[in-house]
Amino acid sequence: MTVIKIAAISGSIRKYSYHTGLIRSAIELSESLDDITIECVDISSLPMLNTDLEIDGKYPDEVEAFRQIIMKSDCFLFASPEYNYSLTPPLKNAIDWASRPPNLWADKAAAIVSTGGNAGGGRGQYHLRQVGVFLDLHFINKPEFVLYAYEPPAKFDSDGLLIDPQAKERLKSVLVALKAFALRLQ
């Protein structure tokens, strides 16, 4: 069997982010799944996109290291918060850096998970999907994963770790669907 390498990117760079907690849970859940590895990709050190930083066809070291991870990944798991009905600036910045020539997102599978207030991040997910169209990034359509973080019972602990058993099962189904789609695209 082919091992599917998933690069997981949190659009939140906050220390106890619920979105990063979703990724940590995905990594934990992947241990019970065959042929999946997940790497949490830290985007907090990426400089803001500025093509003046591209010198003689080379990218800054942080950007090149990020691009290498994206290039070597089979698919992507985006934990995307919603800011003003859209994706976050750190996530958009990371997407833009990896889209610089050559576009490293093209023809790869992706899934989006979100959590938050009354819309659970769903509107931001749809905007991320729109960005993905231009990048030739192929998102799974189902299952969708939005989690209303602030309704009882508690979904996360004080360290931002997912504790809701039903949400964990839903997250696991996203990983299974992502793996299947990535294999179809290979």
Side-chain angles (χ1 to χ4, degrees):
M1 290 293 291
T2 303
V3 175
I4 297 298
K5 296 180 206 109
I6 301 172
I9 303 167
S10 175
S12 175
I13 55 177
R14 217 171 32 86
K15 184 175 183 178
Y16 296 113
S17 161
Y18 288 169
H19 287 86
T20 304
L22 289 174
I23 289 174
R24 290 193 310 253
S25 291
I27 291 169
E28 179 183 302
L29 291 166
S30 72
E31 293 171 3
S32 68
L33 299 171
D34 292 330
D35 307 316
I36 292 179
T37 63
I38 301 177
E39 178 179 359
C40 184
V41 183
D42 181 9
I43 61 172
S44 64
S45 66
L46 293 175
M48 288 303 294
L49 179 71
N50 177 350
T51 55
D52 289 343
L53 298 175
E54 297 175 29
I55 300 169
D56 297 325
K58 297 192 188 292
Y59 297 102
D61 291 343
E62 303 90 343
V63 172
E64 187 55 40
F66 171 71
R67 287 177 56 84
Q68 287 298 314
I69 293 168
I70 299 307
M71 183 176 64
K72 293 175 183 173
S73 299
D74 298 307
C75 58
F76 311 102
L77 176 64
F78 293 101
S80 181
E82 179 180 313
Y83 286 10
N84 301 318
Y85 284 32
S86 187
L87 55 155
T88 63
L91 181 56
K92 181 64 166 74
N93 185 55
I95 289 169
D96 290 345
W97 272 120
S99 73
R100 297 293 298 150
N103 172 18
L104 302 175
W105 305 110
D107 297 320
K108 293 186 180 182
I112 311 169
V113 295
S114 296
T115 187
N118 61 357
R123 295 174 297 221
Q125 282 194 18
Y126 290 120
H127 196 195
L128 178 53
R129 287 175 180 275
Q130 289 175 327
V131 171
V133 168
F134 181 75
L135 299 173
D136 295 320
L137 188 56
H138 306 290
F139 288 100
I140 64 169
N141 292 320
K142 292 183 180 88
E144 290 184 309
F145 186 101
V146 293
L147 182 62
Y148 306 108
Y150 306 109
E151 294 178 358
K155 309 296 188 283
F156 297 90
D157 67 15
S158 61
D159 292 326
L161 297 173
L162 185 64
I163 57 172
D164 181 83
Q166 291 175 324
K168 285 184 177 186
E169 283 303 311
R170 291 178 47 226
L171 182 56
K172 189 174 184 178
S173 68
V174 168
L175 296 175
V176 169
L178 179 57
K179 174 189 170 186
F181 195 39
L183 286 169
R184 282 182 33 210
L185 291 177
Q186 287 185 340

